[in-house]
Amino acid sequence: MTSIHVLNGPNLNLLGRREPGIYGTATLADIERDLGARAEALGIALTFRQTNLEGELVGFVQEAGLAGAGVLINAAAYTHTSVALRDAISGSGALAVEVHLSNVHAREAFRHVSLIAPVCAGVICGFGPHSYRLGLDALAHLMAARTPNSASKD
Ligand code: DQA
């Protein structure tokens, strides 16, 4: 069965109460519930993880990549700062899709740069919780394309 790890970085545990004008009112648990339902329909196994620590996020990426699982990642602020995270994606060979709730390109200049985008298959941002759903569909499609005999139900 195709496996995807949904990894969330710092402060995303605060979704629902964190700057709702930017990030909306859905909690991380709401997002994970929605993704779980979609994954079930696609026949994909999901693993959910969130951490506020850069090194821990690096470890989560390595674990997923080395296991051959896909990575759906909202690295939050580490997107813009973490060479270590970028190296974890490329070093572990993880097939990753980067997602963001907000349209980072419509915000402060420091959010316009993603250090991980060049080592991700693609980037989806600006659609609120729906960014995750779009990212899951995209990643499932890519994984089905590279795995012989796996049916993509899209
Ligand atoms: C974010 C955008 C980042 O710039 C920010 O640091 C976050 C959330 C998003 O999902 O919109 O924490 O990744």
Side-chain angles (χ1 to χ4, degrees):
M1 190 185 223
T2 299
S3 168
I4 290 177
H5 291 208
V6 181
L7 306 181
N8 281 285
N11 301 306
L12 294 171
N13 56 312
L14 298 180
L15 287 179
R17 67 170 74 170
R18 174 191 181 199
E19 299 176 89
I22 297 173
Y23 298 115
T25 53
T27 64
L28 191 54
D30 292 335
I31 291 170
E32 290 177 350
R33 204 174 308 113
D34 179 64
L35 286 178
R38 179 66 180 151
E40 206 175 314
L42 292 169
I44 288 172
L46 294 186
T47 298
F48 296 109
R49 285 174 159 171
Q50 188 274 331
T51 178
N52 293 322
L53 305 177
E54 182 178 10
E56 197 165 32
L57 194 55
V58 165
F60 291 165
V61 168
Q62 287 183 3
E63 196 182 317
L66 294 175
V71 172
L72 183 65
I73 184 165
N74 185 348
Y78 292 139
T79 304
H80 318 298
T81 63
S82 181
V83 175
L85 194 56
R86 176 194 177 120
D87 288 350
I89 295 169
S90 55
S92 67
L95 180 59
V97 169
E98 173 184 345
V99 297
H100 300 281
L101 294 145
S102 64
N103 178 356
V104 287
H105 300 288
R107 300 180 63 195
E108 304 95 324
F110 65 83
R111 295 185 206 274
H112 298 178
V113 174
S114 166
L115 297 190
I116 66 170
V119 294
C120 288
V123 181
I124 294 166
C125 72
F127 301 100
H130 199 60
S131 291
Y132 286 82
R133 171 85 78 104
L134 294 168
L136 178 66
D137 282 357
L139 189 51
H141 189 71
L142 289 174
M143 293 189 77
R146 79 171 191 182
T147 311
N149 302 325
S150 76
S152 170
K153 302 180 194 170
D154 56 358

